Structure formats: C-alpha cells, structure tokens
Amino acid sequence: VDYYTLDARLSVGPVFARHLAHRMFRGEYYSMQVDSHVRFTEHWDEDLIAQWKSAKNEMCVLTTYLSDIIGSIDPITNKSKHPGRPIMCKSDYEGSGKLKHLRHGQQPEGPPGIHGEPTLHPFWAAGFSFARAHFVVQVPYDQYLPMVFQGEEISMGLRGFTYGYDYYTAERSVCFHMYAIKENAAKRHKVKLFWENAPKYTGAELKAMKRLNAIIGMADDPDYDHADEERYGLGEVRNTQTFFDTFGIHTESQTVEENLCTFVGKPMMREFKPHLRPNRMGIDYDQIHYRFVDPKKPKRQQ
C-alpha cells in the first residue's frame, strides 16, 4: 500500500489532496475514490467489479453519496443489511458572487428499481467513485484549486462527462460512511478540518472558484488562472452545454429545473440506455434529444 504523508499545517483541502493521490497512479486497471470514515462489506471488491461489468460500458463510473454506517453492516457476517442505495438527482446553486456554484444536496435513497445492472444518473460524487483507471488519466484532479470543498463534484463530473464518461449508482451498496450523526456525532466532531488553515491562504478559495467555474462553462469571467488549462480542462467527446440542456441547468440565470428525480431512474434508463455505443464506449449523446423540464411547473412557464 502506497501512501503520502503531509504536514496538517499545509493542508489546503480535498481537491489538492486528491490531486496528490492521482499522482500516485501507476497503471492500475481500476481506480476507486472514497471518503475517510468508510467501512466495506465482505467481498466488496468482487461485488463492485461484477456490478461495474454488468453495465457493459467501458465508460461506466459507479458513483454516489454513501449511506450511513449505522445498522448497515451485519457485525457477524460483515454483509450488508441495507436494502436501499442513494441515487444522484438533486442539485441546485448555492453561495453568492464569484463563489456561487452548483452543489449536489442530500440525495434520495431507496431499493433499486432496476436489477441486474447499475442505474444511470447525471451527477458524480466525490465520496465514492469506481471506474476503469483511465478516468484518472483523462480527468486528473486540478492542482490549482486550493481551499475548494463545495464545487469539486460538479467540476470533476462535468469534465468527466465531456470525456465521455457515464455515471451510475450501483444496485448494491458495498460500503457505508460514518457521518457525524447519532452515536457517531461526538467522535466525528473531534476530527480536525482543513478550514483551520484558511487564515494562511486568504483569497485562495475565491481565486480557485473563479477558475473552477470558468473552466466548466458556469461563469463567463475571463479573468482567472489559466495555468495548465489544457491538462485540467474539458474533453472533446461532449460539451458542457449538452449536459446543461439535457438535465435542466440554466447557467445564465443560475437556476435549475426542479424535480429532476422524477426522471432519473427507470425513465432515464429507458431514454438513454438504447444509445450506448455498439463498441461500449459510452452513451452517444448526439443521438439523444431529451431536455428535462420540471413536470410540476405550470405550462405557461415551460
């Protein structure tokens, strides 16, 4: 096991930390990213690889927010006792000014409606991501985003989308997260956070967020750090506007179409899965003309 030790006083957040982790890539076949404070089920690796293969999509990324650990794993068998799994379908703008960004909120959770394969959903989650390791090569973490926490996921997710990656939630959860709730609250609240270093890096977050939003097409301010933009920028398989149009994100007004969760799941699978390329190299969005509009919005506003 390879690891990298960094003085806590130099910590500038998860984006740079994960950039360092990506630098340790040495040609492994698969790549997985998880948060700290995560526990896995028995034979999680075999199960996860089997679920990835069942998508029959080389560009499949299994990714989602993790369910809470409490009551989720049998202490005797180490098998999952949790029948549901989260699905990524809720996102909205938060913050203000140059720091305003698209953030994925708390996601719905329930038993899978589709069996024998993972389910497509639009968003990528930093807390759990499993794919072929070319994802790390194509979409490396941007080293120029210190002190960024919120905003990381839409940045990586959009960049991955433009390189042709498709995001799925697994049918079965193989790991669970210790959140700072219930009996784990006191234990987790003792954990130190990188924000303690914020006074040392005044202005770093604002500069980083300007770069982040500009690169993914969610801001039109040209005054941002362009360093190594080709390496940490967008792919050429799809463009970000296709993503915005498909999933009801309005960058000019910084609003989203509500109730996207009514589409994500079986409807999205019915609409998109037939357009998986014959060579299994991702969903062909050139063949998809779907545009999500809030079904609960009054017709005069649609």
Side-chain angles (χ1 to χ4, degrees):
V1 175
D2 295 324
Y3 63 92
Y4 184 87
T5 302
L6 183 72
D7 189 320
R9 292 171 296 179
L10 301 177
S11 175
V12 291
V15 175
F16 188 72
R18 287 162 174 161
H19 165 78
L20 294 177
H22 276 196
R23 284 194 173 197
M24 300 174 74
F25 173 67
R26 293 297 182 270
E28 292 83 1
Y29 195 80
Y30 293 108
S31 173
M32 183 176 68
Q33 174 176 309
V34 294
D35 275 344
S36 301
H37 319 292
V38 171
R39 184 181 174 193
F40 290 81
T41 59
E42 185 80 4
H43 305 305
W44 65 269
D45 49 351
E46 295 176 357
D47 189 7
L48 193 55
I49 291 171
Q51 292 193 69
W52 181 88
K53 289 181 176 179
S54 70
K56 298 180 172 59
N57 182 355
E58 176 71 12
M59 308 302 282
C60 164
V61 182
L62 297 177
T63 181
T64 194
Y65 288 169
L66 299 178
S67 302
D68 186 67
I69 182 66
I70 298 174
S72 293
I73 299 180
D74 189 297
I76 305 300
T77 66
N78 291 317
K79 295 184 181 300
S80 174
K81 297 168 54 181
H82 198 84
R85 85 288 179 267
I87 192 165
M88 302 288 291
C89 58
K90 295 189 71 173
S91 194
D92 205 347
Y93 281 88
E94 73 167 18
S96 60
K98 301 295 184 182
L99 293 175
K100 196 165 187 178
H101 60 277
L102 199 66
R103 181 193 176 192
H104 313 324
Q106 184 174 356
Q107 304 299 318
E109 184 173 336
I114 294 172
H115 300 281
E117 61 183 324
T119 301
L120 283 163
H121 57 186
F123 302 124
W124 181 84
F128 177 78
S129 176
F130 178 84
R132 279 293 312 279
H134 47 68
F135 184 82
V136 171
V137 178
Q138 300 275 32
V139 195
Y141 262 90
D142 188 344
Q143 67 173 323
Y144 299 100
L145 300 179
M147 304 308 292
V148 167
F149 184 70
Q150 306 297 355
E152 167 193 3
E153 291 176 320
I154 192 61
S155 170
M156 291 292 289
L158 273 172
R159 288 174 58 211
F161 176 85
T162 65
Y163 275 95
Y165 289 97
D166 299 309
Y167 306 125
Y168 296 76
T169 185
E171 181 182 354
R172 298 175 300 280
S173 295
V174 300
C175 56
F176 300 88
H177 192 273
M178 181 196 290
Y179 291 101
I181 60 174
K182 300 179 182 178
E183 60 257 41
N184 290 323
K187 189 184 303 182
R188 279 294 313 276
H189 285 147
K190 294 179 181 179
V191 177
K192 300 293 185 180
L193 303 174
F194 78 94
W195 285 302
E196 296 174 15
N197 292 335
K200 302 176 186 177
Y201 304 104
T202 303
E205 182 187 14
L206 177 59
K207 181 180 178 181
M209 285 302 296
K210 287 174 65 176
R211 172 184 170 92
L212 183 154
N213 280 323
I215 286 178
I216 59 176
M218 302 195 79
D220 57 5
D221 184 357
D223 181 24
Y224 67 92
D225 184 358
H226 293 266
D228 290 337
E229 190 170 352
E230 183 175 345
R231 176 170 178 76
Y232 300 117
L234 305 177
E236 298 180 351
V237 177
R238 307 166 183 150
N239 60 60
T240 57
Q241 193 59 50
T242 296
F243 184 89
F244 301 146
D245 291 342
T246 303
F247 298 110
I249 298 168
H250 308 298
T251 57
E252 291 187 1
S253 61
Q254 294 187 316
T255 59
V256 302
E257 296 287 331
E258 301 289 341
N259 300 300
L260 180 59
C261 294
T262 60
F263 172 68
V264 177
K266 288 182 178 179
M268 183 173 174
M269 286 288 283
R270 284 194 300 267
E271 187 77 33
F272 289 14
K273 184 183 174 182
H275 301 293
L276 177 63
R277 291 184 174 89
N279 63 1
R280 299 186 177 184
M281 290 298 291
I283 303 291
D284 185 356
Y285 272 73
D286 289 339
Q287 304 300 317
I288 295 174
H289 305 291
Y290 179 84
R291 300 291 182 266
F292 178 76
V293 176
D294 182 357
K296 298 183 180 180
K297 182 188 294 185
K299 290 188 179 298
R300 63 179 179 277
Q301 297 180 23
Q302 295 184 9

